Amino acid sequence: GAVVSQHPSWVICKSGTSVKIECRSLDFQATTMFWYRQFPKQSLMLMATSNEGSKATYEQGVEKDKFLINHASLTLSTLTVTSAHPEDSSFYICSARAGTSGRWYEQYFGPGTRLTVT
Amino acid sequence: QKEVEQNSGPLSVPEGAIASLNCTYSDRGSQSFFWYRQYSGKSPELIMSIYSNGDKEDGRFTAQLNKASQYVSLLIRDSQPSDSATYLCAARGDDKIIFGKGTRLHILP
């Protein structure tokens, strides 16, 4: 149980274009989803937290107009990187949790999406 | 600022020995603690959760929690080369999990 999928697993795009990454919880309903970014040999960096049907909460320093997050249902969240630039190239990982108490607080990660902007 | 601190390593352990990974956390109110394993180029995988003081065992893994000392540890018995990875310690914050930066573990064949 507690499987989270991401699509695509890797994507190459040209500078200035937009890329959408999907995150799905396959066997549970995710009340909250998280988006992280990780550069090579660095630690996870939380970008934003989204609750189903609500606007995402962005971490300090993350541009909300550049990284658009939509959490339209209890099993799907999307991250759109708008007007991508080479410095946006990174490993983007989503995470989901089912609730806020006990073991429902456990976060499960998707496999990640490797974005390369040329 | 709520923080989770870990030694970045690398921690080198001979195959078959016990690997001991430690972390401390700053928020005395945290009630839930987690250990994740992350292989290079992959996303983190939850391997242990612990919610009360003491030990929790799952196969070769034992998580230990001491809330008075604000200390969490993970023991890996009979270490295998496949255990070589970065281990992330995490603690529940207000509305999200706070992750440490991870300890790199290298099991020597």
Side-chain angles (χ1 to χ4, degrees):
Chain A
V3 179
V4 178
S5 71
Q6 263 183 262
H7 179 79
S9 55
W10 61 270
V11 58
I12 302 172
C13 71
K14 292 186 184 296
S15 186
T17 61
S18 296
V19 173
K20 180 185 281 190
I21 302 170
E22 288 188 352
C23 176
R24 294 182 184 272
S25 56
L26 298 185
D27 54 359
F28 68 101
Q29 293 187 322
T31 58
T32 308
M33 287 186 169
F34 306 86
W35 287 95
Y36 293 83
R37 181 167 55 180
Q38 188 173 38
F39 293 105
K41 298 191 187 303
Q42 294 192 21
S43 54
L44 287 173
M45 188 193 84
L46 179 65
M47 299 175 67
T49 301
S50 74
N51 292 294
E52 184 261 342
S54 303
K55 287 186 179 180
T57 302
Y58 290 82
E59 295 299 303
Q60 194 172 8
V62 177
E63 300 174 59
K64 63 180 181 181
D65 294 330
K66 180 171 182 61
F67 299 99
L68 301 179
I69 292 171
N70 184 286
H71 191 163
S73 77
L74 285 172
T75 58
L76 174 64
S77 176
T78 60
L79 167 68
T80 302
V81 183
T82 63
S83 186
H85 291 284
E87 57 266 30
D88 298 322
S89 298
S90 188
F91 190 41
Y92 291 86
I93 315 171
C94 74
S95 180
R97 74 171 186 226
T100 57
S101 63
R103 66 171 301 157
W104 303 116
Y105 206 89
E106 293 172 353
Q107 275 183 228
Y108 294 90
F109 285 86
T113 297
R114 196 162 301 282
L115 170 64
T116 301
V117 185
T118 61
Chain B
Q1 181 85 354
K2 295 172 183 174
E3 295 182 333
V4 174
E5 301 282 346
Q6 294 181 256
N7 188 313
S8 62
L11 173 66
S12 295
V13 173
E15 183 176 356
I18 296 175
S20 178
L21 303 160
N22 308 309
C23 92
T24 58
Y25 58 94
S26 64
D27 182 9
R28 190 169 284 279
S30 289
Q31 296 294 318
S32 308
F33 305 89
F34 312 91
W35 282 100
Y36 287 81
R37 176 177 61 198
Q38 186 175 23
Y39 292 114
S40 181
K42 303 293 186 182
S43 66
E45 173 192 10
L46 179 64
I47 55 173
M48 289 287 280
S49 305
I50 186 165
Y51 304 101
S52 54
N53 274 330
D55 295 359
K56 178 182 177 182
E57 187 174 316
D58 183 1
R60 294 187 297 114
F61 299 99
T62 299
Q64 299 175 316
L65 172 60
N66 183 326
K67 291 184 180 179
S69 301
Q70 295 177 242
Y71 177 89
V72 191
S73 66
L74 178 71
L75 301 178
I76 306 175
R77 288 182 299 282
D78 188 23
S79 297
Q80 303 295 311
S82 59
D83 295 325
S84 296
T86 296
Y87 289 79
L88 306 174
C89 175
R92 174 174 176 165
D94 290 331
D95 63 347
K96 56 181 176 278
I97 290 177
I98 310 297
F99 286 90
K101 294 187 183 301
T103 298
R104 282 182 296 136
L105 174 65
H106 181 48
I107 305 301
L108 304 169

